[in-house]
């Protein structure tokens, strides 16, 4: 088991690309293996057809319940927190929004999210709702969207308030720079300081699972004969494949 300093770390594109190449369930196993089991953004699903696998660094946006004093203090126009957050997103980044799971409050629609598209950001992960998704698909925004809900509503009970702080998303902690990894099973959080080690573990684990499947098919045995793989099976794989 590696020793981590647990300090935030910039995750480069090659690590993101590697995490995209692995099924989300295997990445989940890696993060659990390294001691962070509460990493799944529960209840969020991939709402963008054709976007199969995803990995991007988090820029966070926290919504708070609407109240008169908060609304009076909040900047408007281009200085609104939602625009500040989107402005921080570029290639390899995803906007992660904590909207408290609301089905009536949306991150934004097609006009506001045009900023993410113009910045070539990877997408948005929303503990709340999204609207105008059909428009964004028709106009090829190129964004991957994970959310709990789709809605006609705009901001009803919540308003964007705080940028690039630690938030929750579907019950998982998200810190700025963490990696959100997803596929059609859902989306999870990989702490930035763990991302490279998680990728290495996941690649080896995926390789050994494929090796086990080959043996099961070749020998026509019950999967439990070789699964879950042991350390001895991992060693056998490396020996047979010369890796």
């Amino acid at each position: 088991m590696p020793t981590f300093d647990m300090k935030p770390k910039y995750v480069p594109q090659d690590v993101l690309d590697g995490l995209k190449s692995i099924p989300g369930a295997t990445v989940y196993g890696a993060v659990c293996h390294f001691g962070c089991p509460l990493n799944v953004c529960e209840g969020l699903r991939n709402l963008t057809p054709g976007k199969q696998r995803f990995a991007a660094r988090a820029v966070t946006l926290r919504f708070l319940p609407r109240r008169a004093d908060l609304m009076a203090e909040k900047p408007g126009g281009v200085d609104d927190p939602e625009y500040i957050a989107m402005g921080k997103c570029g290639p390899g980044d995803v906007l992660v929004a904590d909207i408290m799971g609301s089905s009536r409050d949306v991150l934004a629609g097609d006009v506001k999210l045009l900023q993410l598209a113009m910045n070539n950001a990877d997408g948005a992960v929303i503990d709340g709702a999204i609207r105008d998704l059909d428009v964004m698909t028709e106009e090829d925004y190129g964004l991957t969207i994970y959310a709990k809900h789709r809605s006609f509503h705009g901001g009803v009970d919540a308003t964007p308030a705080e940028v690039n702080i630690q938030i929750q998303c579907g019950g998982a902690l998200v810190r700025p720079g963490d990696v959100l990894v997803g596929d059609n099973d859902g989306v999870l959080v990989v702490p930035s300081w763990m991302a490279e080690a998680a990728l290495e573990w996941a690649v080896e684990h995926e390789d050994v699972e494929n090796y086990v499947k080959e043996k099961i098919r070749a020998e026509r045995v019950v999967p439990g004969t070789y699964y879950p793989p042991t350390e001895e099976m991992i060693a056998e794989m490396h020996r047979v494949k010369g890796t």
Side-chain angles (χ1 to χ4, degrees):
M1 180 78 70
T3 300
F4 299 109
D5 63 13
M6 299 189 189
K7 293 178 181 177
K9 181 179 180 181
Y10 178 79
V11 180
Q13 188 62 48
D14 64 316
V15 175
L16 299 178
D17 291 341
L19 290 168
K20 289 178 189 177
S21 72
I22 304 296
T26 305
V27 180
Y28 167 76
V31 181
C32 290
H33 174 77
F34 291 126
C36 293
L38 300 177
N39 59 55
V40 177
C41 300
E42 298 289 356
L44 279 71
R45 64 190 190 280
N46 185 0
L47 299 181
T48 38
K51 302 288 189 179
Q52 300 302 317
R53 289 183 182 167
F54 178 82
R57 296 174 296 264
V59 173
T60 63
L61 176 62
R62 185 185 181 200
F63 283 63
L64 292 173
R66 280 180 177 264
R67 206 170 75 178
D69 51 351
L70 176 64
M71 299 306 293
E73 295 168 1
K74 188 170 79 73
V78 297
D79 295 322
D80 191 291
E82 62 190 342
Y83 291 124
I84 299 299
M86 285 189 273
K88 293 180 179 293
C89 294
D93 297 325
V94 58
L95 182 58
V96 185
D98 175 6
I99 317 182
M100 302 170 285
S102 173
S103 62
R104 303 202 308 160
D105 289 278
V106 305
L107 169 63
D110 62 306
V111 178
K112 290 182 177 180
L113 289 178
L114 187 57
Q115 184 174 4
L116 286 183
M118 291 190 301
N119 289 357
N120 293 314
D122 285 24
V125 174
I126 310 160
D127 190 359
I130 185 72
R131 71 177 184 183
D132 298 328
L133 189 56
D134 291 347
V135 175
M136 290 185 276
T137 301
E138 291 163 4
E139 297 184 4
D140 194 23
Y141 277 35
L143 300 173
T144 301
I145 305 293
Y146 287 83
K148 281 189 173 177
H149 311 282
R150 295 184 64 170
S151 176
F152 291 120
H153 292 290
V156 180
D157 303 314
T159 190
E162 297 173 310
V163 176
N164 250 9
I165 62 168
Q166 57 189 2
I167 62 171
Q168 74 79 41
C169 184
L173 173 65
V174 183
R175 288 179 158 168
D178 284 348
V179 180
L180 276 291
V181 173
D183 57 23
N184 288 330
D185 284 345
V187 64
L188 60 94
V189 183
V190 180
S192 63
W193 45 267
M194 182 194 293
E196 189 169 352
L199 173 60
E200 291 175 1
W201 187 96
V203 167
E204 182 178 64
H205 193 79
E206 190 66 14
D207 286 347
V208 76
E209 285 202 349
N210 288 330
Y211 178 71
V212 164
K213 287 194 292 186
E214 290 172 7
K215 288 176 69 72
I216 291 168
R217 290 190 180 107
E219 299 175 20
R220 301 193 64 81
V221 295
V222 174
T225 306
Y226 297 122
Y227 187 82
T230 62
E231 290 297 324
E232 290 76 13
M233 182 62 67
I234 295 173
E236 177 186 320
M237 177 198 71
H238 286 303
R239 185 174 65 254
V240 169
K241 294 186 175 293
T243 57

